[in-house]
Amino acid sequence: AEFVGSESCPGQESRRGASIFFQCDPADAGNATAVRDAQGVFHLETLSVSRLAWSARCLDDVALQWRTASACPPCRREDYSPQPGPCDADGSRRINYMLVEPCVGGHPTPEATRAPCGDGLERPQVRFVLLWVTIVAVTFGGGLMAYAAFLHHKYARRHAGAP
């Protein structure tokens, strides 16, 4: 989210603008406190000059960036991606869920589940056989293409002088 506002500069035709870019930061627990320095200026750790909002606008414009959990959307079920683990001896695997996009609250992280492995690619013997079948097929296909290129050049030279 972003806030943008402006105010006329006294005695000038230009306007001075201010914008605050609210950046989602799920790690922000909302307990950041402002610290007052010796000159009486308050400092907030999660508020900084924005590097995202630089533009060709007036140099007097102020662009700030505020990292806060309040800018995060609520979590949805589709924000979690299944992460299948390795197959166990019983032919099943544990499926954990990982957060894909930053969010806060909303739908809780789904509980880990177990699912059958099913595709058969977990067994090393199957992977080994598939690897060799692939290598043989690619080599055979490459040989056929090389032979076709050889025949093309052979007949092209033979018939190059023919009308």
Side-chain angles (χ1 to χ4, degrees):
E2 186 173 359
F3 164 80
V4 178
S6 64
E7 182 69 33
S8 297
C9 297
Q12 297 180 10
E13 291 182 27
S14 64
R15 297 175 70 85
R16 179 183 308 207
S19 65
I20 300 176
F21 175 72
F22 297 98
Q23 181 181 13
C24 172
D25 183 4
D28 174 46
N31 57 4
T33 57
V35 178
R36 191 174 195 169
D37 65 14
Q39 288 87 26
V41 177
F42 286 94
H43 299 271
L44 187 61
E45 183 180 326
T46 58
L47 183 65
S48 62
V49 173
S50 177
R51 286 161 181 63
L52 302 173
W54 292 114
S55 68
R57 296 183 296 182
C58 170
L59 294 176
D60 291 334
D61 287 353
V62 176
L64 302 173
Q65 180 174 329
W66 192 343
R67 296 182 332 271
T68 176
S70 299
C72 298
C75 295
R76 303 166 300 161
R77 172 81 169 114
E78 50 270 10
D79 289 327
Y80 297 94
S81 172
Q83 302 294 309
C87 281
D88 293 336
D90 67 354
S92 68
R93 67 172 91 201
R94 181 181 171 101
I95 310 253
N96 292 310
Y97 291 87
M98 177 190 285
L99 192 60
V100 178
E101 294 291 328
C103 59
V104 173
H107 194 283
T109 304
E111 293 289 326
T113 59
R114 294 202 66 79
C117 296
D119 58 13
L121 295 177
E122 297 79 18
R123 297 193 314 259
Q125 303 87 352
V126 173
R127 286 187 180 179
F128 180 76
V129 169
L130 286 176
L131 175 68
W132 277 106
V133 168
T134 303
I135 289 172
V136 169
V138 167
T139 303
F140 183 72
L144 284 176
M145 288 192 298
Y147 183 65
F150 166 75
L151 289 177
H152 175 73
H153 288 295
K154 178 180 174 183
Y155 289 113
R157 276 185 285 171
R158 182 179 293 173
H159 299 290

